Amino acid sequence: LTLTPSPSLSLKPKPKPKPKPAAAMGQLQGKAKLALSSVPNIAADTLQAVLKQFQTYSDGWGLDEETFTLVCEPLQKELNCDDFVFSGRIKGLFRLLDTDTNGFVDGLEFLAALGLLSGMDVPSKLVFVFSIFDFDGSGKVTEDELVLMVQSSLSGICKQAGLDPPSLEDVDAICLKAFQALERDPAAGERISLKEFQEFSTTSPSISSWVDYFDGVESPEATPPPPPSSLMRSPSAMLEVRKAIRLRMPSRLNPMATGLRLGPDVSGRTGGWPWTGKLDGLKPLPTHHEGDEEEEEEEEAAAAEEPAE
């Protein structure tokens, strides 16, 4: 007997699905869906406080996790959470941005993304991002600085949305187009101003679609949790569940079946769990603990009052 495998079947393992690539520049529609660790819609004063922390604690563009946490300290008040929750949120954001797992995050990429995802209006976002990459404070940027600005900004926001950013070649082409539209010669060292950058960013579909795609996105916490199961709300259902659990428990673990008490637990109650490790304290007990009949009667009464379906 010879078995011929079907052409549709293969014994080779299926390759892992690749991350969903971003659309080409100028083709994005709708709104981005951000990862849980993202921090969108922060206020302008909080953003400036984060920038000040960066200027105070960073030795360069790369931030290790400890420095990154210091830089992010102003976000805790904005997030309105305790130290434990905030620490977990920042650790998650750090891992989200540290895609090459080298223990460092690009500070300029983080700040630019934080600005674009903030709660400011679009013109204010562009001013903030431009100021980060205006290294000499002249109010103008070179072509190389513009390329670094666009590449870093898109990389930072795409990491938080699970998208692949546009290629460097695409970014180069867009930035060169900006200089050509403004009749600037980058080879001659000519630069573009903040006002010109704002105008180009809001009128060019290649840039404005990306800005709009990440503008006004919902915070990850905005999605409400699902309602509790009806099983957990029904007294009769809860009564049946408790009885079923007791019946399934092995007799050696079920004090209701063995009538044995294993000594005081950590709270000081006799007959409680977990077992303290002392076997000499075993004492015979009635089949039920004190109060169990009363509790079950209350549950049965509550179940009887439920309206019939």
Side-chain angles (χ1 to χ4, degrees):
L1 178 63
T2 303
L3 297 177
T4 304
S6 170
S8 61
L9 298 178
S10 175
L11 299 180
K12 296 181 179 180
K14 294 182 178 180
K16 294 182 179 180
K18 296 181 179 180
K20 181 181 178 181
M25 296 192 70
Q27 299 180 4
L28 291 179
Q29 297 179 351
K31 292 296 179 183
K33 302 295 183 182
L34 300 180
L36 289 176
S37 299
S38 300
V39 188
N41 303 319
I42 66 171
D45 56 345
T46 304
L47 188 62
Q48 291 297 331
V50 173
L51 177 59
K52 186 176 181 180
Q53 290 284 99
F54 174 78
Q55 294 168 341
T56 301
Y57 293 107
S58 66
D59 293 328
W61 294 354
L63 302 174
D64 59 21
E65 188 169 353
E66 182 180 356
T67 308
F68 182 76
T69 302
L70 288 172
V71 171
C72 291
E73 278 184 352
L75 296 176
Q76 183 171 6
K77 183 178 180 181
E78 185 88 17
L79 294 173
N80 192 26
C81 58
D82 59 29
D83 293 344
F84 180 78
V85 173
F86 179 70
S87 176
R89 186 76 173 268
I90 297 306
K91 285 181 182 294
L93 181 58
F94 184 88
R95 289 192 295 268
L96 195 66
L97 297 174
D98 182 22
T99 50
D100 54 5
T101 63
N102 67 348
F104 286 89
V105 162
D106 186 327
L108 297 180
E109 178 181 287
F110 163 65
L111 290 171
L114 197 65
L116 289 177
L117 293 174
S118 71
M120 300 188 298
D121 56 31
V122 171
S124 300
K125 291 181 179 183
L126 296 177
V127 171
F128 178 80
V129 173
F130 188 94
S131 67
I132 298 173
F133 295 89
D134 179 15
F135 299 119
D136 61 2
S138 64
K140 296 182 178 181
V141 294
T142 65
E143 184 189 23
D144 288 340
E145 289 171 338
L146 182 62
V147 170
L148 180 62
M149 182 195 311
V150 176
Q151 181 72 11
S152 299
S153 301
L154 295 183
S155 177
I157 55 180
C158 284
K159 286 178 181 179
Q160 300 186 52
L163 298 174
D164 289 333
S167 66
L168 182 58
E169 290 76 14
D170 286 341
V171 173
D172 277 332
I174 290 298
C175 293
L176 179 59
K177 184 178 179 180
F179 272 76
Q180 291 173 343
L182 296 167
E183 298 181 351
R184 299 288 192 277
D185 183 8
E190 295 183 348
R191 300 183 290 180
I192 62 174
S193 66
L194 169 60
K195 184 178 179 180
E196 292 169 333
F197 168 71
Q198 286 180 303
E199 182 179 354
F200 179 78
S201 299
T202 53
T203 58
S204 170
S206 301
I207 299 295
S208 61
S209 66
W210 282 86
V211 175
D212 293 339
Y213 186 68
F214 287 94
D215 181 51
V217 294
E218 291 185 359
S219 300
E221 299 86 356
T223 303
S229 168
S230 59
L231 174 67
M232 302 305 294
R233 294 196 300 266
S234 168
S236 60
M238 282 299 297
L239 179 61
E240 294 303 318
V241 168
R242 289 189 61 184
K243 288 182 178 179
I245 290 175
R246 287 176 179 173
L247 291 175
R248 287 203 306 267
M249 288 176 64
S251 60
R252 61 187 177 85
L253 296 178
N254 188 353
M256 304 298 292
T258 61
L260 296 178
R261 179 171 289 172
L262 298 184
D265 66 0
V266 292
S267 64
R269 300 192 309 268
T270 56
W273 299 85
W275 173 44
T276 60
K278 295 182 180 180
L279 292 175
D280 55 354
L282 297 178
K283 297 179 181 179
L285 285 178
T287 306
H288 295 282
H289 288 169
E290 292 181 5
D292 278 346
E293 293 89 346
E294 211 173 80
E295 185 179 349
E296 289 185 0
E297 288 176 2
E298 291 177 358
E299 291 175 344
E300 289 175 352
E305 293 177 0
E306 287 186 340
E309 294 183 359

